[in-house]
Amino acid sequence: GVVVFESVVRRAENYSYYPDYSSLNNEDTGLKAYYETLVRLGVSVSRNYRPFLKLEGQKATVIYAGPNLGDFRSRSEKDLEQFERVAQGGARVLVLFQTREVRYEKIAPPKPAIKPSGKGPLRPRDEMKPRVDAMRKRWGVEETETEVTNNQRPTGTETLTPSVVRRDVLWHFAKWDPPWKPLRLDSDGNPVLLERSFGQGSIGLLAAVEPFTNYQLLTKPDTALLAVTMTGRRPLIFDEAHLGVEEIETIAGLARQ
């Protein structure tokens, strides 16, 4: 396993202009080494450059890599329905999430006190509606964040300017409805993989895209985690379209493989 990963990484060309988590990208954050390793192991692997719903009816494992777990909950229910439709047709849809996030937050200055004018109730200004958590509403899955300490910095929160601080956070699954089954746990007991049946297929939520990247495969491969993408003799399809590598790129992309 390790020798295969290393040889693939070192011999492949560097396609720096492909997006992070693309199976065409051979930089640190690409998945090209994993794709090529599967090919060398005899797994049937391909890429999808068309709209996601074009995968309806595929009896394959579909790899959808790269969305941020904290942001994904703000997707529309219509987006989540697309995952369900592809799964119901017989696919195993695996969403590989980014879980680490570097956040720069402004320190809000204290608001001045507003004296009532005596002309009726105060009207809230610039009030923003809370975002709808579609994952919780439609799928019954909740996420939470914990602040982590960067080893190169003394604390988890760093003041960059008097009005801006940097925070490093890690997202993980917090609650899930009974139809979701936790199939793999991390060292703290948090589920890394939640999976649920939909029609003839299933959807898997994997809070770990980093182990599939070229850098991690070369430096610290987790073969047990990588194996969760392979079930039986199913072919694997890496979805590139959601990363912006769409059908117009097909000829150029395939020519560079």
Side-chain angles (χ1 to χ4, degrees), residues 52-58 77-91 93 138-139 198-203:
F52 192 71
L53 280 179
K54 294 291 185 181
L55 294 170
E56 276 190 281
Q58 292 283 348
E77 288 195 64
K78 185 177 179 180
D79 284 344
L80 301 191
E81 183 184 359
Q82 293 188 28
F83 291 92
E84 296 171 15
R85 287 174 57 179
V86 174
Q88 287 165 350
V93 181
R138 188 174 184 93
W139 287 352
F198 282 90
Q200 301 178 53
S202 64
I203 295 177

Side-chain angles (χ1 to χ4, degrees), residues 9 26-30 33 210-221:
V9 171
N26 195 54
E27 288 199 322
D28 287 351
T29 55
E210 289 80 8
F212 295 84
T213 61
N214 302 322
Y215 178 78
Q216 289 286 354
L217 289 179
L218 180 61
T219 59
K220 192 170 59 175

Side-chain angles (χ1 to χ4, degrees), residues 35 37-46 230 233-236:
Y35 182 98
T37 297
L38 294 171
V39 172
R40 295 183 64 179
L41 292 174
V43 180
S44 175
V45 191
S46 61
M230 294 178 282
R233 296 182 178 274
R234 280 176 176 263
L236 268 74

Side-chain angles (χ1 to χ4, degrees), residues 135-142 175-182 194-196:
M135 282 187 70
R136 179 174 61 185
K137 181 180 178 182
R138 188 174 184 93
W139 287 352
V141 175
E142 297 184 38
K175 297 179 182 178
W176 52 94
D177 285 352
W180 294 94
K181 306 301 180 186
L194 294 174
E195 191 153 359
R196 172 183 171 181

Side-chain angles (χ1 to χ4, degrees), residues 57-219:
Q58 292 283 348
K59 312 295 184 184
T61 295
V62 178
I63 304 296
Y64 189 100
N68 180 280
L69 180 55
D71 294 337
F72 194 81
R73 59 183 176 167
S74 298
R75 293 281 187 97
S76 68
E77 288 195 64
K78 185 177 179 180
D79 284 344
L80 301 191
E81 183 184 359
Q82 293 188 28
F83 291 92
E84 296 171 15
R85 287 174 57 179
V86 174
Q88 287 165 350
R92 183 190 187 210
V93 181
L94 282 181
V95 186
L96 278 54
F97 289 106
Q98 299 178 58
T99 55
R100 290 189 174 273
E101 180 182 350
V102 177
R103 187 179 301 159
Y104 297 93
E105 299 179 348
K106 287 187 176 182
I107 303 174
K111 295 182 178 180
I114 301 177
K115 295 182 179 180
S117 62
K119 298 181 180 180
L122 294 175
R123 296 180 180 179
R125 291 179 297 177
D126 302 324
E127 188 174 283
M128 295 180 63
K129 294 182 179 180
R131 295 186 300 177
V132 175
D133 188 335
M135 282 187 70
R136 179 174 61 185
K137 181 180 178 182
R138 188 174 184 93
W139 287 352
V141 175
E142 297 184 38
E143 321 80 29
T144 189
E145 64 177 59
T146 56
E147 191 163 338
V148 295
T149 300
N150 188 312
N151 292 332
Q152 298 180 354
R153 298 187 294 109
T155 60
T157 302
E158 177 183 16
T159 302
L160 301 178
T161 70
S163 60
V164 178
V165 296
R166 166 179 167 156
R167 295 177 60 230
D168 294 86
V169 299
L170 182 66
W171 288 93
H172 59 84
F173 300 118
K175 297 179 182 178
W176 52 94
D177 285 352
W180 294 94
K181 306 301 180 186
L183 301 183
R184 186 176 175 86
L185 306 178
D186 63 18
S187 57
D188 295 323
N190 298 313
V192 176
L193 173 61
L194 294 174
E195 191 153 359
R196 172 183 171 181
S197 296
F198 282 90
Q200 301 178 53
S202 64
I203 295 177
L205 307 177
L206 186 61
V209 69
E210 289 80 8
F212 295 84
T213 61
N214 302 322
Y215 178 78
Q216 289 286 354
L217 289 179
L218 180 61
T219 59

